[in-house]
Amino acid sequence: MRVVAGLLLLLLGLCGSGAQGEAGGLGEVAEINQNPDPKHPAEESTQQSTKQTDPDVWTELRALRDMVVEQKVHMELLQRENSVQATELVSLESRLTSSESKTRDLEKENADLQTRLSSSESRIDQLERENAEKPKVAFYAALTDAGNLGPYNTDITLKYSKVFTNIGKAYNPSTGFFTAPVKGVYWFQFTVHGYDTSATGVYVYKNNQIMMANWENINNGVREYLTNSLLLELTAGDEIHLVLPSGWSVYDSLSNFNTFSGSLLFTL
């Protein structure tokens, strides 16, 4: 802008000098008209050269003026472009700041998720260790393929000899006894089938104590079925077995009508 102002001042100065020159020229013409004396040939040549030079100066001044105007317009355009670019730069800085903020938020969320994942993995590892350390106890067995058992003159312990499942080896098919390996809550179930006698059924014993007695009377050779279950809290070493009372009978075959099963629900 200072350059443009300087050029404009120079242009005004030149214009003023040109105007004075023209005025002086007119005065001289008047004097010449008033002075009819003949001039020297050298003076006439100088005047003609001056008249030829003046138009060239004005042409250059006009060209300089046009150049100054063009430069001013160009500078205004550059200023507008700079203003637009400055606005765009501010917008980009704002977007960058917003992006950086979102990035920090996402990094924080990712860190929180990593923490939760590590906590969950630790909990899963703990549960897996607890589950691995927890004893697993479950059994299922059928009585016999021999048909009728009983009636006998005395109570007998039923030995369910056809073992299908015996996880933990807590059931002994040779004795018919289940022995609790740990203190906990156990679930037991049995099924009974009989016919051709007066009654069929079993007693459930915990150690030497009757926990349950189930039976059905048989009339006219009709087949009788029964099933039941019980939930017991046992300490390690407690024994569960089923007894066939004297005078009663059961019937079993390949169809596995008489069964005994149980499992550990949870430890105490």
Side-chain angles (χ1 to χ4, degrees):
M1 291 299 294
R2 292 180 178 177
V3 174
V4 174
L7 291 174
L8 289 174
L9 291 174
L10 177 61
L11 179 60
L12 292 173
L14 291 174
C15 290
S17 298
Q20 291 178 359
E22 289 181 353
L26 292 174
E28 289 177 358
V29 170
E31 291 177 359
I32 291 172
N33 291 333
Q34 293 175 1
N35 187 8
D37 294 339
K39 294 183 178 180
H40 191 274
E43 292 179 358
E44 291 180 356
S45 175
T46 301
Q47 290 178 357
Q48 290 178 357
S49 176
T50 301
K51 291 180 180 179
Q52 291 175 354
T53 303
D54 288 343
D56 294 338
V57 171
W58 284 106
T59 300
E60 291 178 359
L61 288 174
R62 283 192 293 268
L64 181 60
R65 180 196 62 191
D66 294 341
M67 184 184 300
V68 170
V69 171
E70 182 181 353
Q71 291 295 325
K72 182 178 179 181
V73 171
H74 183 64
M75 289 182 66
E76 290 176 352
L77 291 176
L78 289 177
Q79 288 175 349
R80 294 194 192 100
E81 292 179 358
N82 289 338
S83 177
V84 172
Q85 291 177 354
T87 302
E88 292 178 351
L89 181 60
V90 171
S91 176
L92 289 174
E93 290 177 349
S94 176
R95 290 169 57 188
L96 178 60
T97 302
S98 177
S99 298
E100 290 174 344
S101 177
K102 290 180 179 179
T103 300
R104 288 192 294 270
D105 292 341
L106 290 174
E107 289 175 348
K108 183 178 182 301
E109 291 178 4
N110 184 60
D112 292 341
L113 290 174
Q114 290 289 347
T115 301
R116 291 171 58 189
L117 178 60
S118 299
S119 177
S120 297
E121 290 175 343
S122 299
R123 180 56 179 163
I124 290 173
D125 292 340
Q126 179 182 354
L127 291 174
E128 288 178 346
R129 287 193 300 269
E130 291 176 357
N131 186 58
E133 295 170 357
K134 176 183 177 181
K136 298 175 177 60
V137 181
F139 75 97
Y140 170 69
L143 188 57
T144 182
D145 294 335
N148 273 316
L149 288 178
Y152 299 105
N153 294 326
T154 185
D155 297 347
I156 65 167
T157 298
L158 294 174
K159 300 176 183 179
Y160 292 82
S161 59
K162 298 161 59 177
V163 178
F164 301 104
T165 301
N166 196 11
I167 299 172
K169 306 299 181 181
Y171 175 71
N172 186 348
S174 299
T175 62
F177 279 74
F178 170 85
T179 304
V182 294
K183 183 179 181 181
V185 176
Y186 294 79
W187 173 84
F188 298 95
Q189 183 176 11
F190 59 88
T191 60
V192 178
H193 169 59
Y195 75 101
D196 287 342
T197 59
S198 60
T200 186
V202 294
Y203 292 167
V204 180
Y205 276 80
K206 172 187 173 184
N207 300 325
N208 295 318
Q209 180 183 4
I210 294 178
M211 294 285 101
M212 180 182 291
N214 277 166
W215 70 90
E216 288 286 347
N217 293 319
I218 301 174
N219 297 313
N220 301 322
V222 176
R223 292 177 180 269
E224 294 290 346
Y225 300 87
L226 63 91
T227 184
N228 214 330
S229 61
L230 63 163
L231 202 63
L232 296 175
E233 178 182 338
L234 304 179
T235 59
D238 284 343
E239 294 178 330
I240 304 296
H241 65 283
L242 275 59
V243 171
L244 177 65
S246 62
W248 296 0
S249 68
V250 293
Y251 177 85
D252 205 359
S253 67
L254 294 173
S255 298
N256 302 321
F257 296 117
N258 290 266
T259 62
F260 181 30
S261 60
S263 62
L264 170 66
L265 298 182
F266 53 86
T267 58
L268 296 175

